[in-house]
Amino acid sequence: RAKETGKARCLIYSPRLNGPSEHDISLEAAMFQAVREGEFLLYYQPIVDARTRQIQGFETLMRWKHPALGLVPPVRFIPIAESNGLINLLGAWALKAACVQLKQFQEVAQRPLYMSVNISPRQFRNDKFLDILDDAITFSGVSGDNLVLEITEGTLMIDPVHAESILVRMTERQARIAIDDFGTGYSSLAYLKRFPISVLKIDRTFIKDLPASSKDAAICNAILDLAKHLNLSVVAEGVETEEQMHFIESRGCQYVQGYLTGKPMPAHAALAALSDKTYAALVPTPPAHEPRG
Ligand code: C2E
Ligand code: MG
Ligand code: MG
Ligand code: MG
């Protein structure tokens, strides 16, 4: 694994000294070491059909297994990698490794699963990004239409003209674009009209207080309505309970990703989940007292 990352192209290092804590600085130093040691790994979280609960794909989620600190969560290290440029190296590795992993998942499951990969603002702006994408597709042999690239509203808003041209080229590779954490960023709805977007991922903050919160219910309903009329798919993120699942499914949300239907897991566990015919059946069926639709 260390070899793979080591092979990746040059490292762009531009330290930002606008006030990281001492802790961040030592974490940052440890990250460069971690790349050389191959301490970064990928977990995969199932994205399931809300109605059948069959696995449709996975989101690739990066993990850092530090020998002393244990698993460092991405909220700790992704912002550092984003500010010092290491994200370009880590992100290119993750995209390629995720495609290779997807190929194996597809071979085992014998069906066209997809892989969703997070692309940070800095990766998206990197002028090598399309080459990196092409390389990942060619090297792994997956088809572009089995790839979903997740970007945030913020990524689109930094430079909409540039964003549009990159997005168009991404879709020329048949890759689909998802808006991650939809509704939490600074953006305008106009971008849904302007850019070639296929998927909205409803942020967990709108899901977690369902079905009790009438405001969150209204927001989810509005997003699902909007998506339906714009012909976009929707993934509800962070579904943890049957009640949330039932709410979202009954409102016509097609896809769900959350602890209820599978936590992020290493590839071998994801493979087991794919092979396990009873995986979907293990999850209880939605309550029967309310009609669907
Ligand atoms: P995200 O892309 O929005 O990913 C979803 C996050 O929600 C993941 O956190 C996932 O573990 C978590 N999650 C999913 N279902 C549930 C649930 O039911 N309950 C709860 N409490 N959490 C749930 P994670 O893995 O810690 O990643 C956090 C963020 O770090 C990601 O948010 C993404 O922005 C970033 N990230 C992770 N991996 C990568 C990567 O490879 N590249 C880039 N650029 N960013 C990454
Ligand atoms: Mg994501
Ligand atoms: Mg998200
Ligand atoms: Mg999120």
Side-chain angles (χ1 to χ4, degrees), residues 180-181 203-204 237:
D180 203 356
D181 309 334
D203 192 68
R204 183 162 63 89
E237 283 192 305

Side-chain angles (χ1 to χ4, degrees), residues 59 118 150 180:
E59 179 174 3
N118 293 290
E150 298 191 6
D180 203 356

Side-chain angles (χ1 to χ4, degrees), residues 4-61:
E4 252 175 62
T5 48
K7 240 190 286 171
R9 55 212 82 220
C10 74
L11 203 151
I12 303 153
Y13 183 56
S14 53
R16 294 273 157 82
L17 295 173
N18 46 354
S21 70
E22 250 174 64
H23 203 99
D24 283 352
I25 292 168
S26 61
L27 206 58
E28 173 165 14
M31 280 177 72
F32 287 93
Q33 172 84 10
V35 170
R36 288 190 295 271
E37 300 293 331
E39 291 168 15
F40 289 94
L41 41 110
L42 299 177
Y43 273 25
Y44 302 93
Q45 186 176 26
I47 299 171
V48 308
D49 181 302
R51 206 172 43 79
T52 65
R53 304 204 184 185
Q54 192 189 42
I55 298 175
Q56 305 298 306
F58 293 88
E59 179 174 3
T60 301
L61 294 160

